[in-house]
Amino acid sequence: MASAAKAEQLDFAKTPINSKLSAQQKVRLLTEMVRIRRFETESLRQYQAKKMGGFLHLYNGQESVAVGCVSLMGDDDHVITAYRDHGHALAVGMTMNECMAELFGKVTGCSKGKGGSMHFFAPDKNYWGGHGIVAGQTPLGLGLAYALKYKGVKGAAMCFMGDGAVNQGCFYESLNMAALFDIPVIYIIENNGYSMGTSLARSSSFKSCLAERAEGFNIAWGQCNGTDIYEVRANVQTAIERAHNESKPTVLEIATYRYYGHSVADAKHTGGYRQKEEIEHYKQNHDPIQVFKRRLIEEGTLTEEKYEQLDEAAKAEAAAAAQFADESPIPSEESITQDVYFEVDRQTEAGRTGKHFFND
Amino acid sequence: MPLIEYRDALNQAFAEEMERDPNVVLMGEEVAEYDGAYKVTRGLWQRFGSKRVMDTPISEAGFIGMGIGASMLGIRPVMELMFWSFAAVAWDQIINNAAQVRYMSGGLINCPIVIRGPANGGTNVGATHSHNHENFLANIPGLKVVCPATAYDAKGLMKSAIRDNDPVMFMENTLLYGEKGEVPEEEYLIPLGRADVKREGTDISLIAHGRAALTALKAAELLAAEHNINAEVVDLRSIRPLDEEAILESVRKTHRAVYIEENKPFCGVGAQIASMLQEKAFDDLDAPVLRISSMDAPAIYSPELEKKQLPRPLDIVEKVLSIC
Ligand SMILES: Cc1ncc(C[n+]2csc(CCOP(=O)(O)OP(=O)(O)O)c2C)c(N)n1
Ligand SMILES: [Mg+2]
């Protein structure tokens, strides 16, 4: 078993997209995963210290998916995801400061404190959110990709979603149109085995896997394991090439796992709908950071000391972000009614005509 | 001035804006090869081709969401709902995405999309096809809502809606598509948020939106001919943004007001206006502000009865006489 798994790992390392990685790029991939984990762990600490309100959906365990996918993005590739969005945000290059400040509801947050944990955005980095309604982002991802095609740009939109999101109708409407109109969208199902407290088996009926449902739409689909970031990259690269060269959609399901509860308010996630042993099993055998770290150390790209350094740096960066967020001011009361209408914000002729707000 | 149908006025607006801006696209069920279920997009597919005028499958949530996503990247989609009633299927996309994405991104994103189609009862198609959603949608900060009553207003407002950088919910009316009105040959725009006094008067303000504004005009003629009452008719045209000043100005002159709409009464547009008037024109009012809405029950099919369910000129006359 162990050697078979190892042989498979080696295979993905040999795919062109991975074999050409420099030592520096490999360490960068690892660093990005570690940064996400440290950010999430720090945000949990801050949540427990009552520094933020609302929900907090942590990405720990799933880091290889966001980092692997985003690492393949070119200038004209775009990303949109659901509410478990911190990992994708950091992966596209948003700073820990703006993300943590958003969690704290501060004016220095990426959305000026108006979005919160589930609604991070950075259109300048081709990152279109952060969406709180399960599968609500799936038609939007289609629209982003449609816009690229309309403009004649060679790009793709990666639309991330959970295993629970596949049961929403608008996802299938989107698949149909993606195939019908040859739209370069890539639906990436991050299958972490659960939608809140409902296991995959209790939520979805399928033959071999969820992505296979794409077969009926005549859409290329695939399934892979998220433990090895090389495997993620190899599979996503195929989808990106299909989007760029053929303007065709793909549905890719990536097996992954979350270590914390659905959100921090989920006390039943150990010993309730899943057992502690299951979580431990993943941490021991499938942790994407540990697996990749071991590989890099074995091949001599990384040392234990260097890993400690990058881990410490990520921890310090997260702690500094928490301090930044803590010291940042809250948004002004006037800002409650700003950023609602473009025309009003810009005080254009349209924005100055008629009453837009009814507070008085 | 040429007399043209309301539907053709809209058609001209699309064609002109598509000529002007290559990012304007039309999408919806049957809008291209079939010329539109109500022929509003007639001839545009032949003229602009499949890239600019696109038939979609019957997937309101999917294609409205697709339009919203495309608008975030700078496309300016004009999306047809065959009936605004079907927006219920796309509610999440409109309310949670189009309306909120600018706010939740702290102003980094905007959605220059127009969602349009007929929103009216009165055609004997039963309750599922006869909804008026303007009050629901105007309730959502982030959305704009427009309800033109005439061909002239439809064209001018549609051109502004397409150029607007926020999501505009554009509500037409199947009973008006064939109505002719004067539309100038030269280009014009009507800003959102400006009401139109469609009849000047001194004794009472009949304030209305959509087809109800035309009903109010008919009532005003009856009031003048039979009751010596000179009614002013204020057509809001745009619900949000709202021309509050125009309403107040009229009521300060006439001291009486009736709101007429095809919306349902509970939390309808008229309720908002009545509340505003009692607050801001209390001392100017000589009588309570009254409202006439579509009768408060689902839209009935029975053709003879459905006529009675919507405001008719005589209903307005009767209300007016109760306070004049
Ligand atoms: C339309 C809608 N229904 C229900 C919810 C509540 N909800 C939030 S997340 C979630 C589970 C989704 O699970 P999955 O898609 O697997 O994503 P994961 O949380 O595992 O990342 C539910 C039911 C919601 N946000 N939106
Ligand atoms: Mg899940």
Side-chain angles (χ1 to χ4, degrees), chain A residues 111-112 114 128 136 139-140 142-143 146 150-151 173 177 181 336 338-343 345 353-356 360, chain B residues 22 25 27 51-52 59 61-63 66 70 72-73 93 97 102-104 106 142-143 165-166 192 240-242 244 280:
Chain A
S111 299
K112 305 182 196 160
K114 291 176 171 175
W128 299 93
L140 297 183
L142 180 74
Y146 158 83
Y150 184 87
K151 292 176 174 178
E173 299 183 15
M177 285 188 281
F181 303 143
I336 293 176
Q338 292 161 0
D339 303 315
V340 180
Y341 294 103
F342 176 100
E343 305 288 356
D345 294 334
T353 306
K355 194 174 164 85
H356 288 75
D360 50 31
Chain B
V25 294
M27 281 187 218
K51 186 181 174 193
R52 307 283 306 277
S59 305
F63 74 74
M66 178 171 104
M72 303 194 312
L73 262 182
Q93 294 300 320
N97 291 342
R102 176 169 185 79
Y103 197 69
M104 296 197 305
L143 298 180
N165 288 296
D166 294 305
L192 276 59
R240 188 171 186 153
L242 178 72
E244 207 172 86
K280 296 188 179 172

Short mmCIF file of all heavy atoms in Angstrom, two decimals, chain A residues 111-112 114 128 136 139-140 142-143 146 150-151 173 177 181 336 338-343 345 353-356 360, chain B residues 22 25 27 51-52 59 61-63 66 70 72-73 93 97 102-104 106 142-143 165-166 192 240-242 244 280:
data_model
loop_
_atom_site.label_atom_id
_atom_site.label_comp_id
_atom_site.label_asym_id
_atom_site.label_seq_id
_atom_site.Cartn_x
_atom_site.Cartn_y
_atom_site.Cartn_z
N SER A 111 -12.98 44.09 2.35
CA SER A 111 -14.27 44.65 1.94
C SER A 111 -14.70 45.77 2.88
O SER A 111 -15.90 46.02 3.05
CB SER A 111 -15.33 43.54 1.92
OG SER A 111 -14.99 42.53 0.99
N LYS A 112 -13.73 46.40 3.52
CA LYS A 112 -13.99 47.51 4.46
C LYS A 112 -14.91 47.08 5.59
O LYS A 112 -15.72 47.88 6.09
CB LYS A 112 -14.62 48.71 3.73
CG LYS A 112 -13.83 49.23 2.55
CD LYS A 112 -14.55 50.45 1.98
CE LYS A 112 -14.09 50.81 0.60
NZ LYS A 112 -15.08 51.65 -0.10
N LYS A 114 -17.41 45.10 5.32
CA LYS A 114 -18.79 44.95 4.88
C LYS A 114 -19.14 43.54 4.43
O LYS A 114 -20.31 43.24 4.15
CB LYS A 114 -19.07 45.91 3.72
CG LYS A 114 -19.06 47.34 4.17
CD LYS A 114 -19.24 48.31 3.04
CE LYS A 114 -19.44 49.70 3.61
NZ LYS A 114 -19.52 50.72 2.57
N TRP A 128 -13.12 36.73 -7.27
CA TRP A 128 -14.49 37.28 -7.29
C TRP A 128 -15.36 36.78 -6.15
O TRP A 128 -16.59 36.71 -6.27
CB TRP A 128 -15.12 36.96 -8.66
CG TRP A 128 -14.34 37.60 -9.75
CD1 TRP A 128 -13.33 37.03 -10.48
CD2 TRP A 128 -14.42 38.96 -10.22
NE1 TRP A 128 -12.79 37.94 -11.36
CE2 TRP A 128 -13.46 39.12 -11.23
CE3 TRP A 128 -15.24 40.05 -9.89
CZ2 TRP A 128 -13.27 40.34 -11.90
CZ3 TRP A 128 -15.06 41.25 -10.57
CH2 TRP A 128 -14.09 41.38 -11.56
N GLY A 136 -24.60 29.33 -4.97
CA GLY A 136 -24.99 30.59 -5.61
C GLY A 136 -23.91 31.13 -6.53
O GLY A 136 -24.19 31.86 -7.48
N PRO A 139 -23.47 29.86 -11.05
CA PRO A 139 -23.78 30.60 -12.28
C PRO A 139 -22.85 31.81 -12.48
O PRO A 139 -22.57 32.19 -13.61
CB PRO A 139 -25.22 31.06 -12.08
CG PRO A 139 -25.77 30.21 -10.99
CD PRO A 139 -24.62 29.88 -10.11
N LEU A 140 -22.40 32.40 -11.38
CA LEU A 140 -21.49 33.55 -11.52
C LEU A 140 -20.17 33.12 -12.17
O LEU A 140 -19.63 33.81 -13.02
CB LEU A 140 -21.20 34.18 -10.15
CG LEU A 140 -22.36 34.78 -9.39
CD1 LEU A 140 -21.88 35.42 -8.09
CD2 LEU A 140 -23.09 35.82 -10.23
N LEU A 142 -19.78 30.72 -14.17
CA LEU A 142 -20.11 30.54 -15.59
C LEU A 142 -20.07 31.89 -16.32
O LEU A 142 -19.53 32.00 -17.42
CB LEU A 142 -21.52 29.92 -15.69
CG LEU A 142 -22.04 29.65 -17.10
CD1 LEU A 142 -21.35 28.44 -17.70
CD2 LEU A 142 -23.56 29.44 -17.06
N GLY A 143 -20.63 32.90 -15.68
CA GLY A 143 -20.68 34.23 -16.27
C GLY A 143 -19.30 34.84 -16.44
O GLY A 143 -19.03 35.51 -17.45
N TYR A 146 -17.88 33.10 -19.36
CA TYR A 146 -18.57 33.57 -20.56
C TYR A 146 -18.00 34.93 -20.99
O TYR A 146 -17.77 35.18 -22.18
CB TYR A 146 -20.09 33.67 -20.30
CG TYR A 146 -20.81 34.59 -21.24
CD1 TYR A 146 -21.21 34.15 -22.49
CD2 TYR A 146 -21.05 35.92 -20.88
CE1 TYR A 146 -21.85 35.02 -23.37
CE2 TYR A 146 -21.68 36.79 -21.75
CZ TYR A 146 -22.08 36.34 -22.98
OH TYR A 146 -22.69 37.20 -23.84
N TYR A 150 -16.42 35.96 -24.46
CA TYR A 150 -17.03 37.05 -25.24
C TYR A 150 -15.98 38.07 -25.66
O TYR A 150 -15.98 38.57 -26.78
CB TYR A 150 -18.12 37.73 -24.40
CG TYR A 150 -18.88 38.80 -25.16
CD1 TYR A 150 -19.99 38.46 -25.93
CD2 TYR A 150 -18.47 40.13 -25.13
CE1 TYR A 150 -20.67 39.42 -26.65
CE2 TYR A 150 -19.16 41.10 -25.85
CZ TYR A 150 -20.26 40.74 -26.61
OH TYR A 150 -20.93 41.70 -27.33
N LYS A 151 -15.06 38.35 -24.74
CA LYS A 151 -14.03 39.35 -25.03
C LYS A 151 -12.88 38.78 -25.87
O LYS A 151 -11.95 39.51 -26.22
CB LYS A 151 -13.46 39.89 -23.72
CG LYS A 151 -14.44 40.73 -22.93
CD LYS A 151 -13.81 41.15 -21.60
CE LYS A 151 -14.71 42.11 -20.83
NZ LYS A 151 -14.13 42.50 -19.53
N GLU A 173 -28.04 23.82 -14.03
CA GLU A 173 -28.36 24.78 -15.08
C GLU A 173 -27.06 25.32 -15.66
O GLU A 173 -26.93 25.51 -16.88
CB GLU A 173 -29.21 25.92 -14.51
CG GLU A 173 -30.53 25.45 -13.93
CD GLU A 173 -31.41 26.59 -13.44
OE1 GLU A 173 -31.15 27.76 -13.78
OE2 GLU A 173 -32.36 26.30 -12.68
N MET A 177 -25.46 24.93 -19.58
CA MET A 177 -25.08 26.08 -20.41
C MET A 177 -23.58 26.08 -20.71
O MET A 177 -23.16 26.46 -21.81
CB MET A 177 -25.50 27.39 -19.75
CG MET A 177 -27.01 27.61 -19.87
SD MET A 177 -27.53 29.23 -19.30
CE MET A 177 -27.52 28.93 -17.55
N PHE A 181 -22.80 26.17 -24.61
CA PHE A 181 -22.18 27.37 -25.19
C PHE A 181 -20.65 27.28 -25.21
O PHE A 181 -19.98 28.28 -25.49
CB PHE A 181 -22.60 28.62 -24.40
CG PHE A 181 -24.09 28.84 -24.31
CD1 PHE A 181 -24.67 29.34 -23.15
CD2 PHE A 181 -24.92 28.58 -25.40
CE1 PHE A 181 -26.04 29.57 -23.06
CE2 PHE A 181 -26.29 28.79 -25.32
CZ PHE A 181 -26.86 29.29 -24.14
N ILE A 336 -22.10 52.86 6.28
CA ILE A 336 -23.16 51.84 6.16
C ILE A 336 -23.91 52.01 4.84
O ILE A 336 -24.28 51.03 4.20
CB ILE A 336 -24.16 51.93 7.35
CG1 ILE A 336 -23.45 51.53 8.65
CG2 ILE A 336 -25.36 51.02 7.11
CD1 ILE A 336 -24.31 51.67 9.90
N GLN A 338 -22.68 53.48 2.11
CA GLN A 338 -21.79 53.62 0.95
C GLN A 338 -21.55 52.26 0.32
O GLN A 338 -21.73 51.23 0.96
CB GLN A 338 -20.45 54.25 1.38
CG GLN A 338 -20.61 55.70 1.81
CD GLN A 338 -19.43 56.21 2.65
OE1 GLN A 338 -18.49 55.47 2.92
NE2 GLN A 338 -19.52 57.46 3.07
N ASP A 339 -21.12 52.29 -0.92
CA ASP A 339 -20.83 51.04 -1.66
C ASP A 339 -22.09 50.21 -1.93
O ASP A 339 -22.03 48.98 -2.03
CB ASP A 339 -19.78 50.18 -0.93
CG ASP A 339 -18.49 50.93 -0.68
OD1 ASP A 339 -18.02 51.61 -1.62
OD2 ASP A 339 -17.96 50.86 0.44
N VAL A 340 -23.22 50.89 -2.00
CA VAL A 340 -24.47 50.21 -2.36
C VAL A 340 -24.72 50.38 -3.85
O VAL A 340 -24.99 49.41 -4.56
CB VAL A 340 -25.65 50.77 -1.54
CG1 VAL A 340 -26.94 50.05 -1.92
CG2 VAL A 340 -25.37 50.62 -0.05
N TYR A 341 -24.64 51.64 -4.31
CA TYR A 341 -24.83 51.94 -5.73
C TYR A 341 -23.56 52.59 -6.29
O TYR A 341 -23.08 53.58 -5.73
CB TYR A 341 -26.00 52.91 -5.93
CG TYR A 341 -27.34 52.34 -5.55
CD1 TYR A 341 -27.96 52.68 -4.36
CD2 TYR A 341 -28.00 51.45 -6.41
CE1 TYR A 341 -29.19 52.16 -4.02
CE2 TYR A 341 -29.24 50.92 -6.07
CZ TYR A 341 -29.84 51.28 -4.87
OH TYR A 341 -31.06 50.78 -4.54
N PHE A 342 -23.08 52.05 -7.38
CA PHE A 342 -21.92 52.62 -8.05
C PHE A 342 -22.15 54.09 -8.38
O PHE A 342 -21.30 54.95 -8.13
CB PHE A 342 -21.68 51.81 -9.35
CG PHE A 342 -20.57 52.32 -10.24
CD1 PHE A 342 -19.32 51.71 -10.21
CD2 PHE A 342 -20.78 53.38 -11.12
CE1 PHE A 342 -18.30 52.16 -11.04
CE2 PHE A 342 -19.76 53.82 -11.95
CZ PHE A 342 -18.52 53.21 -11.91
N GLU A 343 -23.32 54.39 -8.94
CA GLU A 343 -23.58 55.75 -9.41
C GLU A 343 -23.64 56.74 -8.25
O GLU A 343 -23.24 57.89 -8.40
CB GLU A 343 -24.88 55.79 -10.23
CG GLU A 343 -24.95 54.82 -11.42
CD GLU A 343 -24.06 55.22 -12.61
OE1 GLU A 343 -23.43 56.29 -12.55
OE2 GLU A 343 -24.01 54.43 -13.58
N ASP A 345 -22.03 56.32 -5.30
CA ASP A 345 -20.67 56.43 -4.77
C ASP A 345 -19.85 57.42 -5.59
O ASP A 345 -19.07 58.20 -5.05
CB ASP A 345 -19.95 55.07 -4.80
CG ASP A 345 -20.59 54.06 -3.86
OD1 ASP A 345 -21.22 54.50 -2.88
OD2 ASP A 345 -20.46 52.85 -4.12
N THR A 353 -29.62 61.78 -9.14
CA THR A 353 -31.01 61.95 -9.56
C THR A 353 -31.92 61.02 -8.78
O THR A 353 -31.71 59.80 -8.78
CB THR A 353 -31.15 61.66 -11.08
OG1 THR A 353 -30.23 62.49 -11.78
CG2 THR A 353 -32.56 61.96 -11.56
N GLY A 354 -32.90 61.58 -8.11
CA GLY A 354 -33.86 60.76 -7.35
C GLY A 354 -33.27 60.30 -6.03
O GLY A 354 -32.09 60.44 -5.75
N LYS A 355 -34.17 59.73 -5.23
CA LYS A 355 -33.79 59.30 -3.89
C LYS A 355 -33.42 57.82 -3.94
O LYS A 355 -34.22 57.00 -4.40
CB LYS A 355 -35.00 59.52 -2.98
CG LYS A 355 -34.74 59.45 -1.51
CD LYS A 355 -36.05 59.85 -0.79
CE LYS A 355 -36.00 59.45 0.68
NZ LYS A 355 -35.34 60.41 1.53
N HIS A 356 -32.22 57.50 -3.50
CA HIS A 356 -31.76 56.11 -3.53
C HIS A 356 -31.91 55.41 -2.18
O HIS A 356 -31.95 54.18 -2.12
CB HIS A 356 -30.29 56.05 -3.95
CG HIS A 356 -30.06 56.35 -5.41
ND1 HIS A 356 -30.12 57.62 -5.93
CD2 HIS A 356 -29.78 55.53 -6.44
CE1 HIS A 356 -29.87 57.57 -7.23
NE2 HIS A 356 -29.67 56.31 -7.57
N ASP A 360 -34.53 58.65 5.58
CA ASP A 360 -35.20 59.84 6.10
C ASP A 360 -36.19 60.36 5.05
O ASP A 360 -36.27 59.85 3.95
CB ASP A 360 -34.19 60.94 6.45
CG ASP A 360 -33.22 61.18 5.31
OD1 ASP A 360 -33.63 61.00 4.14
OD2 ASP A 360 -32.07 61.54 5.58
N PRO B 22 -20.18 47.78 -27.75
CA PRO B 22 -20.05 46.36 -28.14
C PRO B 22 -20.18 45.39 -26.96
O PRO B 22 -20.28 44.18 -27.18
CB PRO B 22 -18.63 46.29 -28.74
CG PRO B 22 -17.91 47.49 -28.22
CD PRO B 22 -18.94 48.55 -27.99
N VAL B 25 -25.16 42.97 -24.60
CA VAL B 25 -25.67 41.72 -25.19
C VAL B 25 -27.10 41.49 -24.70
O VAL B 25 -27.46 41.93 -23.61
CB VAL B 25 -24.82 40.49 -24.81
CG1 VAL B 25 -23.43 40.60 -25.41
CG2 VAL B 25 -24.71 40.32 -23.30
N MET B 27 -29.90 38.54 -23.81
CA MET B 27 -30.00 37.11 -23.51
C MET B 27 -31.36 36.80 -22.92
O MET B 27 -31.93 37.63 -22.23
CB MET B 27 -28.98 36.72 -22.43
CG MET B 27 -27.59 36.55 -22.90
SD MET B 27 -26.68 35.88 -21.49
CE MET B 27 -25.17 36.75 -21.71
N LYS B 51 -23.78 36.05 -31.31
CA LYS B 51 -22.91 36.41 -30.19
C LYS B 51 -23.56 37.50 -29.34
O LYS B 51 -23.42 37.51 -28.12
CB LYS B 51 -21.56 36.89 -30.71
CG LYS B 51 -20.57 37.14 -29.59
CD LYS B 51 -19.22 37.64 -30.06
CE LYS B 51 -18.36 37.98 -28.85
NZ LYS B 51 -17.17 38.74 -29.20
N ARG B 52 -24.30 38.41 -30.00
CA ARG B 52 -24.86 39.55 -29.27
C ARG B 52 -26.30 39.28 -28.81
O ARG B 52 -26.78 39.95 -27.88
CB ARG B 52 -24.87 40.80 -30.17
CG ARG B 52 -23.54 41.16 -30.82
CD ARG B 52 -22.57 41.83 -29.87
NE ARG B 52 -23.04 43.01 -29.17
CZ ARG B 52 -23.06 44.26 -29.66
NH1 ARG B 52 -22.67 44.47 -30.89
NH2 ARG B 52 -23.45 45.27 -28.92
N SER B 59 -33.67 28.21 -17.83
CA SER B 59 -32.88 28.08 -16.60
C SER B 59 -32.70 29.46 -16.00
O SER B 59 -31.61 30.03 -16.04
CB SER B 59 -31.50 27.49 -16.92
OG SER B 59 -31.58 26.28 -17.61
N ALA B 61 -32.43 30.75 -12.98
CA ALA B 61 -31.37 30.97 -11.99
C ALA B 61 -30.01 30.92 -12.69
O ALA B 61 -29.13 31.75 -12.44
CB ALA B 61 -31.44 29.91 -10.89
N GLY B 62 -29.86 29.96 -13.59
CA GLY B 62 -28.58 29.78 -14.27
C GLY B 62 -28.24 30.94 -15.19
O GLY B 62 -27.16 31.51 -15.12
N PHE B 63 -29.16 31.33 -16.03
CA PHE B 63 -28.76 32.38 -16.99
C PHE B 63 -28.77 33.78 -16.40
O PHE B 63 -27.94 34.61 -16.77
CB PHE B 63 -29.51 32.28 -18.33
CG PHE B 63 -30.96 32.72 -18.36
CD1 PHE B 63 -31.30 34.06 -18.33
CD2 PHE B 63 -31.97 31.78 -18.52
CE1 PHE B 63 -32.63 34.47 -18.41
CE2 PHE B 63 -33.31 32.18 -18.61
CZ PHE B 63 -33.64 33.53 -18.54
N MET B 66 -25.53 33.84 -14.70
CA MET B 66 -24.46 33.96 -15.70
C MET B 66 -24.32 35.42 -16.15
O MET B 66 -23.21 35.94 -16.27
CB MET B 66 -24.76 33.07 -16.90
CG MET B 66 -23.74 33.17 -18.01
SD MET B 66 -24.00 31.91 -19.28
CE MET B 66 -24.72 32.90 -20.56
N ALA B 70 -21.07 37.79 -15.67
CA ALA B 70 -20.46 38.46 -16.83
C ALA B 70 -20.41 39.97 -16.60
O ALA B 70 -19.43 40.63 -16.97
CB ALA B 70 -21.26 38.14 -18.10
N MET B 72 -19.94 41.48 -13.86
CA MET B 72 -18.84 41.80 -12.94
C MET B 72 -17.54 42.00 -13.71
O MET B 72 -16.64 42.69 -13.28
CB MET B 72 -18.67 40.69 -11.88
CG MET B 72 -19.94 40.42 -11.08
SD MET B 72 -19.75 39.44 -9.57
CE MET B 72 -18.79 38.05 -10.09
N LEU B 73 -17.45 41.37 -14.88
CA LEU B 73 -16.24 41.52 -15.71
C LEU B 73 -16.46 42.54 -16.84
O LEU B 73 -15.70 42.57 -17.80
CB LEU B 73 -15.85 40.17 -16.31
CG LEU B 73 -14.74 39.40 -15.58
CD1 LEU B 73 -14.41 38.11 -16.30
CD2 LEU B 73 -13.48 40.23 -15.43
N GLN B 93 -30.14 34.69 -7.21
CA GLN B 93 -29.14 35.37 -8.03
C GLN B 93 -29.35 36.88 -8.01
O GLN B 93 -28.41 37.66 -7.95
CB GLN B 93 -29.18 34.84 -9.47
CG GLN B 93 -28.76 33.38 -9.58
CD GLN B 93 -27.34 33.15 -9.09
OE1 GLN B 93 -26.45 33.95 -9.32
NE2 GLN B 93 -27.12 32.05 -8.39
N ASN B 97 -26.83 38.04 -5.18
CA ASN B 97 -25.64 38.33 -5.97
C ASN B 97 -25.69 39.72 -6.59
O ASN B 97 -24.90 40.58 -6.25
CB ASN B 97 -25.41 37.24 -7.01
CG ASN B 97 -25.00 35.92 -6.35
OD1 ASN B 97 -24.56 35.91 -5.20
ND2 ASN B 97 -25.14 34.82 -7.05
N ARG B 102 -21.65 44.34 -4.76
CA ARG B 102 -20.92 45.60 -4.63
C ARG B 102 -20.68 45.91 -3.15
O ARG B 102 -19.55 46.21 -2.75
CB ARG B 102 -21.71 46.75 -5.27
CG ARG B 102 -21.03 48.09 -5.06
CD ARG B 102 -21.60 49.22 -5.88
NE ARG B 102 -20.78 50.40 -5.67
CZ ARG B 102 -19.61 50.60 -6.26
NH1 ARG B 102 -19.12 49.71 -7.08
NH2 ARG B 102 -18.91 51.68 -6.00
N TYR B 103 -21.71 45.77 -2.37
CA TYR B 103 -21.58 46.11 -0.95
C TYR B 103 -20.58 45.20 -0.25
O TYR B 103 -19.69 45.65 0.45
CB TYR B 103 -22.95 45.97 -0.28
CG TYR B 103 -23.02 46.67 1.05
CD1 TYR B 103 -22.98 48.05 1.12
CD2 TYR B 103 -23.13 45.96 2.24
CE1 TYR B 103 -23.05 48.72 2.33
CE2 TYR B 103 -23.21 46.62 3.46
CZ TYR B 103 -23.17 48.00 3.50
OH TYR B 103 -23.25 48.65 4.70
N MET B 104 -20.76 43.91 -0.47
CA MET B 104 -19.92 42.95 0.26
C MET B 104 -18.46 42.99 -0.18
O MET B 104 -17.59 42.47 0.50
CB MET B 104 -20.48 41.54 0.12
CG MET B 104 -21.85 41.41 0.77
SD MET B 104 -22.33 39.71 1.04
CE MET B 104 -22.16 39.07 -0.61
N GLY B 106 -17.04 45.84 -0.60
CA GLY B 106 -16.59 47.17 -0.20
C GLY B 106 -16.47 48.11 -1.38
O GLY B 106 -15.61 48.99 -1.39
N GLY B 142 -29.45 48.37 -3.37
CA GLY B 142 -28.51 47.80 -4.35
C GLY B 142 -29.18 47.59 -5.70
O GLY B 142 -28.52 47.52 -6.72
N LEU B 143 -30.51 47.45 -5.68
CA LEU B 143 -31.25 47.29 -6.93
C LEU B 143 -31.95 48.59 -7.30
O LEU B 143 -32.30 49.39 -6.43
CB LEU B 143 -32.31 46.19 -6.80
CG LEU B 143 -31.83 44.78 -6.49
CD1 LEU B 143 -33.01 43.82 -6.40
CD2 LEU B 143 -30.81 44.29 -7.53
N ASN B 165 -24.62 51.82 -14.23
CA ASN B 165 -23.60 50.87 -13.75
C ASN B 165 -24.07 50.03 -12.57
O ASN B 165 -23.26 49.33 -11.95
CB ASN B 165 -22.32 51.63 -13.42
CG ASN B 165 -21.62 52.09 -14.69
OD1 ASN B 165 -21.19 51.27 -15.49
ND2 ASN B 165 -21.56 53.39 -14.89
N ASP B 166 -25.34 50.11 -12.25
CA ASP B 166 -25.91 49.28 -11.18
C ASP B 166 -26.97 48.36 -11.78
O ASP B 166 -27.45 48.61 -12.89
CB ASP B 166 -26.55 50.20 -10.13
CG ASP B 166 -25.50 51.05 -9.41
OD1 ASP B 166 -24.55 50.46 -8.86
OD2 ASP B 166 -25.63 52.28 -9.43
N LEU B 192 -33.18 57.75 -14.70
CA LEU B 192 -33.88 57.02 -13.64
C LEU B 192 -34.03 57.98 -12.46
O LEU B 192 -33.12 58.77 -12.19
CB LEU B 192 -33.05 55.81 -13.20
CG LEU B 192 -33.18 54.52 -14.01
CD1 LEU B 192 -32.81 54.72 -15.46
CD2 LEU B 192 -32.30 53.42 -13.38
N ARG B 240 -37.25 53.07 -7.69
CA ARG B 240 -36.00 53.28 -6.94
C ARG B 240 -34.89 53.44 -7.95
O ARG B 240 -34.64 52.47 -8.67
CB ARG B 240 -35.74 52.09 -6.01
CG ARG B 240 -34.57 52.34 -5.07
CD ARG B 240 -34.47 51.26 -4.03
NE ARG B 240 -33.43 51.61 -3.08
CZ ARG B 240 -33.39 51.23 -1.81
NH1 ARG B 240 -34.33 50.48 -1.33
NH2 ARG B 240 -32.39 51.57 -1.03
N PRO B 241 -34.26 54.59 -8.06
CA PRO B 241 -34.45 55.79 -7.25
C PRO B 241 -35.83 56.43 -7.47
O PRO B 241 -36.42 56.27 -8.52
CB PRO B 241 -33.33 56.73 -7.73
CG PRO B 241 -32.96 56.23 -9.08
CD PRO B 241 -33.19 54.76 -9.06
N LEU B 242 -36.26 57.15 -6.44
CA LEU B 242 -37.61 57.71 -6.41
C LEU B 242 -37.56 59.23 -6.48
O LEU B 242 -36.73 59.85 -5.81
CB LEU B 242 -38.29 57.27 -5.11
CG LEU B 242 -39.70 57.78 -4.84
CD1 LEU B 242 -40.70 57.10 -5.76
CD2 LEU B 242 -40.08 57.53 -3.38
N GLU B 244 -38.97 61.83 -5.05
CA GLU B 244 -39.80 62.25 -3.92
C GLU B 244 -40.25 63.70 -4.08
O GLU B 244 -41.37 64.07 -3.74
CB GLU B 244 -38.97 62.08 -2.64
CG GLU B 244 -39.79 61.84 -1.42
CD GLU B 244 -38.91 61.49 -0.22
OE1 GLU B 244 -38.43 62.41 0.46
OE2 GLU B 244 -38.69 60.29 0.00
N LYS B 280 -43.98 63.96 5.51
CA LYS B 280 -43.37 65.16 4.96
C LYS B 280 -44.36 66.21 4.43
O LYS B 280 -43.95 67.31 4.11
CB LYS B 280 -42.41 64.77 3.83
CG LYS B 280 -41.26 63.93 4.35
CD LYS B 280 -40.20 63.67 3.34
CE LYS B 280 -39.10 62.85 4.03
NZ LYS B 280 -38.11 62.38 3.08
#
